[in-house]
Amino acid sequence: MERVCREHNIPGRLIPVPHFLSAGCGLAWCAPPEYRGVLQNILSDAGICCEAVQECLI
Amino acid sequence: MIYFDNAATTLQKPDPVIQAAVCAIRSLGNAGRGGHEATLAASRVLYETREKLAAFFHAESASRIAFTSNSTEALNIAIKGTLKEGDHVITTQLEHNSLLRPLYEMEERGVQLSIVPCDASGRIDPAELARSIRKNTKAVFCTHGSNVTGNLVDIAAIGKISRENGLLFGVDASQTAGTIPIDVQNMNIDILCFTGHKGMLGLQGTGGIYVHDGVSVRPLKTGGSGVQSYEHRHPAQMPEALEAGTPNGPGIAGLNAAVTYLLETGIDVIHTRELALMHRFYNGIRVIPGITVYGDFSADDRCPIVSLNVSGYDSSEVSDELSCTYQIATRPGAHCAPLMHEALGTVSRGAVRFSFSHYNTEKEVDFAISALREIAQES
């Protein structure tokens, strides 16, 4: 995911999954909410499955 | 020292492998644990290595490759994670104990085991293997190459037989990964077990298992995974399903560099070089009176291995003489392949195994031939 986002100049970075979203550890790609649509399209095109897309204040 | 024990482990590693491991020791955190730069760096190395290995073995995707500590661990996962009481499984007489002992253990748990015999030169006939298939046959597990004779098994033919009969097909690529091309999809391989420290030219303590998409394997060990921490059960998705605990980051970084080295050098170039050294040695020693060589040298579908005995000597005596007097490293004994030695009639004294790397030289080979000539004259 990180590589695909970098290749498409999607701003953001990998962060630990916020505990209030998922209590089971792991990583999430953190990006500005306005990139939600383009990000989902890019991931879909790259065949990358993501568990969920959430909006929250970091 | 002249090192001819590369089937046990390749002693000389490419410089980039060593450098990558050292760099990893100094910089990598624990992969998948948190989000700081050191852990992300480790996660990136692991993922990139999975990608490279997936491409190397023609796997569907990086997620189908899980890291293990060696082939033995991978084979234990494969065998114990797929067979259950009442199943029938087929293997061959060529196998190493890393495959045989898990099968014997499963036999004690109610799995039926058939072992396909080899011919006098140590070859397996896939058609004979096919004749061992029963109604309850679940799987075929076999080596890609004998660690005693060096002869390859026709895994493409066995893969085809397995697929046609709806059987799971698992391959032990300990002696071949890194030097013989393996295409898991074209060869109908469901599970591939490989080590990182032999032909792959990586470090000891590395290896892996490929599992075909759709094949379910119960994990051998469970524990920390870095994800789904509040679940009682270990994650079911690959590759986390077959990995638990902190991975060998430095070793995997070395394996990453090793795959790059193999691809840049060309495994065909490496294998051609190794076979040339092996043939030079074989042609030099086969004419020495009192020396018996084991295996089939009529074709080049083989690993660069020559196992032999000198008349009147135990294999350990010869290997020790080679080591002490000539500083030549070889492997005597049974090579953890008891059934192969039964087939070759060498149970009582084992055999002296010479195994070559592309780093060896013609001068080293010629010196070993001279040494064996002197030892044989003394017998």
Side-chain angles (χ1 to χ4, degrees), chain B residues 151-228:
Chain B
N151 291 128
L152 296 188
V153 173
D154 188 350
I155 56 171
I158 296 175
K160 186 168 182 287
I161 291 166
S162 299
R163 186 57 50 93
E164 287 170 353
N165 288 276
L167 309 180
L168 189 77
F169 182 39
V171 173
D172 170 10
S174 299
Q175 290 298 331
T176 56
T179 53
I180 311 280
I182 297 173
D183 185 328
V184 291
Q185 294 188 83
N186 273 344
M187 292 172 162
N188 294 307
I189 295 170
D190 293 305
I191 302 177
L192 182 78
C193 302
F194 59 95
T195 191
H197 69 98
K198 297 187 181 187
M200 296 295 290
L201 300 174
L203 305 184
Q204 294 176 21
T206 61
I209 182 169
Y210 155 80
V211 180
H212 184 54
D213 195 9
V215 173
S216 177
V217 181
R218 296 184 300 276
L220 188 68
K221 56 185 183 182
T222 57
S225 59
V227 294
Q228 300 172 18

Side-chain angles (χ1 to χ4, degrees), chain A residues 27-58:
Chain A
L27 294 169
W29 183 257
C30 175
E34 60 267 30
Y35 283 87
R36 180 181 183 129
V38 66
L39 183 58
Q40 286 180 297
N41 288 336
I42 286 168
L43 293 181
S44 175
D45 291 345
I48 296 172
C49 299
C50 60
E51 201 169 310
V53 179
Q54 308 275 7
E55 289 188 21
C56 58
L57 190 63
I58 299 291

